[in-house]
Amino acid sequence: ITGIKALEEETRKNQLQIQQADKLASLGLLVAGVAHEINNPVSFISFNVPYIEQYFNEIFPLLDDYAAKNPGYKIANVEYELFKKDIKDMLSDLYEGAQRITSIVTDLKTFSKMETENEETFVKLDEIIHSTIRLLQPAVKKKNAAISYKCDKEYRVKGNRQKIGQVIINLLT
């Protein structure tokens, strides 16, 4: 009876491991799909911001002349000089935000890359560490903490990218 109980317990543990692996595989597919869907609208923003900036750069000289001839000129109920500065800041923020989203999406896609359980390849350890740190930054900022990592060498190790990333997340959290 003890042997049967031990076998049943081992079978239950194996089933739980299989279920967990299935959940992780499904999560990886979901993350990759969401990352792809986010990438499309972010690409529109990243592509269009420089054109909008160029348009304003061509319009501003005309508006500058008009504002010089009409003191107190306002656009959208905002003083012209403040409007001009705000537009430049907003475009810069839009572009920076799109770049940050692109970086997060890339990190998520890298982290969720599907690899078989035992597949090991040579991976760049510093890339995995940097990618993982970028993924954790929002959680770290909420705790008023910081994580930094600097390495002057490129370390290549044989291993599973996903498992190494998970170990780093576990260590840092």
Side-chain angles (χ1 to χ4, degrees):
I1 293 179
T2 304
I4 292 173
K5 290 282 188 194
L7 260 157
E8 287 174 351
E9 180 63 23
E10 188 175 333
T11 301
R12 188 184 66 75
K13 284 181 183 178
N14 288 341
Q15 287 174 338
L16 287 174
Q17 284 178 337
I18 290 170
Q19 287 174 347
Q20 188 65 20
D22 285 345
K23 285 180 189 176
L24 287 174
S26 296
L27 182 62
L29 287 172
L30 177 67
V31 167
V34 168
H36 178 73
E37 290 303 317
I38 291 172
N39 233 8
N40 289 334
V42 169
S43 295
F44 300 147
I45 295 168
S46 294
F47 182 76
N48 287 315
V49 165
Y51 288 109
I52 295 169
E53 192 170 37
Q54 182 181 350
Y55 295 160
F56 271 106
N57 286 337
E58 291 182 22
I59 291 171
F60 280 136
L62 300 172
L63 293 174
D64 289 342
D65 288 343
Y66 185 82
K69 293 175 186 171
N70 297 282
Y73 175 59
K74 292 182 178 183
I75 296 178
N77 211 24
V78 175
E79 293 290 332
Y80 172 67
E81 288 302 320
L82 181 58
F83 168 82
K84 185 176 176 180
K85 182 189 176 310
D86 280 351
I87 288 293
K88 289 179 179 182
D89 289 345
M90 285 185 233
L91 288 171
S92 177
D93 290 348
L94 274 172
Y95 191 73
E96 182 183 327
Q99 296 306 310
R100 287 177 57 197
I101 292 169
T102 299
S103 177
I104 291 167
V105 167
T106 300
D107 293 342
L108 284 170
K109 284 169 41 176
T110 299
F111 185 77
S112 69
K113 193 179 281 185
M114 299 303 295
E115 295 178 359
T116 59
E117 186 70 23
N118 296 319
E119 182 180 335
E120 292 184 351
T121 59
F122 281 98
V123 294
K124 294 179 183 176
L125 190 57
D126 56 318
E127 279 183 6
I128 298 171
I129 292 170
H130 283 294
S131 172
T132 305
I133 288 173
R134 282 193 305 265
L135 282 175
L136 291 176
Q137 284 303 338
V140 170
K141 283 182 183 177
K142 284 182 185 174
K143 295 183 179 187
N144 292 324
I147 300 173
S148 64
Y149 167 77
K150 184 176 190 252
C151 183
D152 295 331
K153 290 174 113 180
E154 180 182 287
Y155 290 98
R156 293 176 68 83
V157 295
K158 188 173 185 177
N160 181 294
R161 174 184 296 276
Q162 195 171 9
K163 287 181 181 179
I164 293 171
Q166 188 61 55
V167 167
I168 294 168
I169 285 176
N170 292 343
L171 288 172
L172 293 176
T173 57

